[in-house]
């Protein structure tokens, strides 16, 4: 697999345009198969996870193609001829978001149970609780979730945890159920709101998305939404904000929704960076010394878990002691081991990581273990002395559109190298 090489010491300056949100686009692509008419999705990032989801939706018999860069035509005219094969489903956990749409429109779904992944077990009990509550009959047959329902009936569902995926699956299924569905303790992430807005564009009747109580009045069918634009990616934006601060640079992010980034902006200000907003732009500057901060990841509007590894990278060179508590996933500190290979001083105990800032990181050959860990290693490489070679760079391609080009546009020295190329890693003083 390719490596991403980052030469440290370059200050990031300039403007960068943020792409569409991966986690909104994936859910909305699943919802689009509920429509009885074609729809064009706009501002869809052409990233690896979206391409996998496009293939999955095509395997159901849908017509899906790019009408122009970022704009995707989607139309599933009738019942799927077959369900997506395991080989495809296992590549993308978000394939589980096809359950609700297939069940609602066709009364049948067979999706392989996505295994755990590098950040945790990631069970689906809340998805099943909600779909069963709507009247679906669910069984697990040879690793495949088999769901059937003659007609879904509205119900009241309490989510023990505000799961993003479970909220989305249940909300989509409820749109075509008979009567009202109430989801209590629902996830409030911006991507959930974007999905609800898309469903309403299709003629659904979803109210309360963005709060912890979502009410859905079932309708007979969905359609009539010719075009829909996906929101900007707050996690890509946050990654660039941290890269700017990490290199003590000055960057303007364009095409963002500032209030989606408030948890991160607040933390960066607390650390001593300057962050200010103007319309759909955010300005980030960090000239002077930074102070250590404590982070607790929480469901939105708390600090996002998807920004936690990137924040750990930044804090590894902030003088003093910073503490991170990861409350969402049970195994999301794996990047700490890679950062320690670069000289970081991080102690992990369960869901708590204690970071003692060091003067400088050293470039090294490191390995991305998941998408956001890969992004964290890019930030570390931007700060480090010498070159950092990031193996498994394909993980980064899952969630970042044109990352190298965008970083080079800001003055970074970053490029691809074939796997296995020797590196000039410096010694790491222990
Ligand atoms: C979504 O995953 C995102 N993925 C994740 O982003 C993100 O980290 C996560 O939400 C939390 O914000 C997409 O939207 C495609 P959850 P999801 O269900 O829906 C537990 C990235 O890097 N849980 O909110 O799978 C679960 O174990 C990815 O872009 C149950 O216990 O997240 C976890 O501890 C990584 N039972 C917690 O809830 C369930 O039935 C949050 O999971 C479902 C979840």
């Amino acid at each position: 697999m390719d490596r991403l090489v980052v030469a440290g010491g370059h200050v990031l300056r300039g403007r960068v345009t943020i792409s569409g949100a991966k986690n909104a686009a994936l859910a909305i692509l699943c919802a689009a198969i509920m429509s009885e008419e074609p729809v064009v999705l706009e501002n869809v990032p052409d990233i690896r996870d979206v391409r996998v989801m496009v293939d999955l939706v095509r395997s159901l018999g849908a017509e899906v193609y790019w009408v122009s860069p970022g704009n995707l035509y989607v139309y599933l005219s009738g019942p799927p001829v077959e369900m997506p094969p395991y080989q495809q489903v296992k590549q993308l956990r978000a394939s589980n978001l096809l359950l609700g749409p297939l069940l609602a429109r066709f009364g049948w779904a067979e999706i392989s149970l996505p295994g755990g992944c590098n950040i945790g077990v990631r069970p689906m009990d809340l998805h099943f609780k909600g779909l069963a509550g709507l009247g679906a009959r669910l069984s697990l047959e040879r690793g495949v979730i088999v769901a059937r329902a003659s007609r879904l009936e509205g119900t009241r569902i309490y989510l023990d945890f505000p799961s993003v995926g479970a909220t989305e699956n249940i909300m989509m299924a409820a749109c075509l159920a008979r009567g009202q569905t109430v989801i209590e303790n629902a996830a409030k992430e911006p991507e959930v709101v974007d999905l609800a807005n898309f469903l309403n564009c299709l003629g659904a009747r979803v109210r309360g998305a963005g709060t912890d109580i979502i009410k859905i009045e079932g309708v007979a069918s969905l359609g009539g939404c010719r075009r829909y634009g996906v929101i900007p990616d707050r996690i890509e934006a946050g990654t660039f904000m941290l890269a700017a601060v990490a290199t003590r640079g000055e960057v303007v992010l364009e095409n963002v929704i500032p209030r989606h980034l408030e948890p991160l902006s607040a933390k960066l200000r607390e650390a001593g960076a300057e962050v200010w907003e103007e319309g759909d732009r955010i300005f980030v500057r960090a000239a002077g010394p930074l102070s250590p901060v404590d982070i607790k990841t929480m469901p939105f509007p708390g600090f996002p878990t998807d920004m936690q590894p990137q924040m750990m990278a930044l804090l590894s060179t902030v003088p003093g002691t910073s503490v991170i508590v990861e409350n969402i996933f049970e195994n999301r500190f794996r990047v700490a081991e890679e950062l320690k290979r670069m000289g970081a001083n991080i102690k992990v105990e369960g869901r708590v990581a204690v970071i003692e800032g060091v003067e400088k990181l050293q470039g090294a050959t490191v390995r991305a273990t998941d998408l956001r860990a890969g992004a964290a290693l890019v930030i570390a490489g931007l700060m480090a002395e010498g070159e950092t070679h990031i193996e498994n760079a394909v993980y980064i391609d899952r969630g970042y559109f044109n990352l190298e080009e965008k970083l080079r546009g800001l003055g970074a020295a970053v490029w691809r190298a074939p796997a296995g190329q020797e590196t000039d890693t410096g010694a790491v003083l222990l």
Side-chain angles (χ1 to χ4, degrees):
M1 282 191 205
D2 272 1
R3 289 168 183 243
L4 197 61
V5 184
V6 184
H10 296 260
V11 176
L12 298 194
R13 287 197 184 88
R15 295 172 175 280
V16 63
T17 300
I18 299 303
S19 303
K22 166 178 85 81
N23 291 346
L26 292 174
I28 287 169
L29 197 40
C30 292
I33 68 169
M34 299 172 77
S35 173
E36 308 275 349
E37 295 159 293
V39 60
V40 172
L41 304 178
E42 299 173 332
N43 198 32
V44 177
D46 183 9
I47 53 179
R48 199 165 178 279
D49 274 9
V50 167
R51 290 188 198 147
V52 171
M53 186 64 87
V54 165
D55 289 346
L56 278 169
V57 171
R58 277 192 188 125
S59 71
L60 296 170
E63 205 185 342
V64 190
Y65 57 85
W66 297 94
V67 291
S68 55
N71 300 325
L72 203 55
Y73 172 98
V74 187
Y75 181 39
L76 179 59
S77 57
V81 289
E82 58 184 0
M83 289 294 165
Y86 173 68
Q87 289 311 322
Q88 268 186 311
V89 169
K90 73 176 184 182
Q91 295 178 56
L92 185 60
R93 175 180 170 75
S95 51
N96 64 9
L97 296 175
L98 287 166
L99 269 177
L102 288 168
L103 204 47
R105 187 175 171 199
F106 304 113
W108 166 57
E110 287 188 14
I111 302 288
S112 301
L113 187 62
C117 71
N118 295 325
I119 59 177
V121 172
R122 302 184 78 179
M124 285 188 60
D125 56 310
L126 298 175
H127 297 245
F128 301 150
K129 172 181 178 181
L131 296 176
L134 288 165
R137 296 180 308 285
L138 297 152
S139 59
L140 186 60
E141 297 170 23
R142 302 179 312 288
V144 176
I145 306 161
V146 178
R148 296 196 188 295
S150 43
R151 186 80 166 86
L152 295 176
E153 298 287 342
T155 183
R156 177 178 286 270
I157 297 152
Y158 174 80
L159 292 180
D160 308 54
F161 182 89
S163 153
V164 171
T167 301
E168 293 172 337
N169 243 332
I170 297 163
M171 185 166 69
M172 290 187 283
C175 287
L176 294 177
R178 197 197 328 262
Q180 183 187 71
T181 297
V182 179
I183 306 173
E184 293 178 305
N185 196 27
K188 298 183 272 198
E189 273 68 6
E191 294 74 26
V192 173
V193 177
D194 203 23
L195 173 62
N197 291 338
F198 173 61
L199 290 166
N200 287 338
C201 179
L202 288 173
R205 296 172 59 196
V206 182
R207 299 291 176 272
T211 73
D212 45 16
I213 296 192
I214 300 179
K215 291 184 178 175
I216 304 108
E217 299 296 339
V219 295
S221 66
L222 296 174
C225 175
R226 293 177 53 74
R227 308 181 77 81
Y228 186 83
V230 170
I231 57 171
D233 194 316
R234 62 191 168 105
I235 307 302
E236 182 198 13
T239 304
F240 276 100
M241 289 167 73
L242 284 173
V245 173
T247 59
R248 305 298 186 273
E250 181 168 350
V251 170
V252 183
L253 290 88
E254 300 182 325
N255 185 39
V256 296
I257 300 176
R259 67 181 151 75
H260 291 172
L261 283 145
E262 197 44 48
L264 177 65
S265 301
K267 270 301 163 184
L268 288 178
R269 292 186 190 108
E270 193 183 319
E274 293 172 75
V275 181
W276 67 96
E277 298 133 10
E278 197 181 277
D280 66 350
R281 295 186 297 174
I282 285 189
F283 300 77
V284 184
R285 179 167 57 199
L290 297 175
S291 310
V293 290
D294 294 342
I295 301 286
K296 286 183 177 55
T297 65
M298 295 297 282
F300 194 85
F303 190 92
T305 176
D306 291 347
M307 286 304 307
Q308 179 265 104
Q310 302 92 309
M311 196 69 178
M312 178 182 277
L314 169 68
L315 294 173
S316 67
T317 63
V318 172
T321 305
S322 299
V323 179
I324 296 182
V325 183
E326 172 54 61
N327 291 307
I328 307 295
F329 290 109
E330 66 273 20
N331 185 27
R332 200 169 202 172
F333 285 142
R334 294 184 62 189
V335 74
E337 290 314 306
E338 300 303 307
L339 292 172
K340 285 154 79 172
R341 289 174 46 71
M342 299 174 73
N345 178 348
I346 303 170
K347 287 185 185 57
V348 171
E349 274 299 324
R351 288 188 179 239
V352 179
V354 179
I355 302 140
E356 297 295 342
V358 296
E359 181 70 28
K360 202 82 173 141
L361 296 179
Q362 305 296 320
T365 295
V366 289
R367 174 178 293 271
T369 51
D370 69 81
L371 160 59
R372 307 305 174 184
L377 292 171
V378 171
I379 290 172
L382 290 169
M383 298 190 288
E385 231 151 36
E387 283 183 6
T388 297
H389 285 235
I390 304 168
E391 295 180 333
N392 285 356
V394 66
Y395 273 117
I396 300 171
D397 301 335
R398 294 189 52 177
Y400 291 91
F401 177 64
N402 279 354
L403 181 66
E404 293 113 272
E405 290 80 353
K406 291 187 179 184
L407 283 172
R408 280 200 289 266
L410 293 171
V414 53
W415 63 94
R416 290 271 159 164
Q421 192 177 42
E422 280 316 300
T423 67
D424 67 344
T425 49
V428 177
L429 300 180
L430 297 177

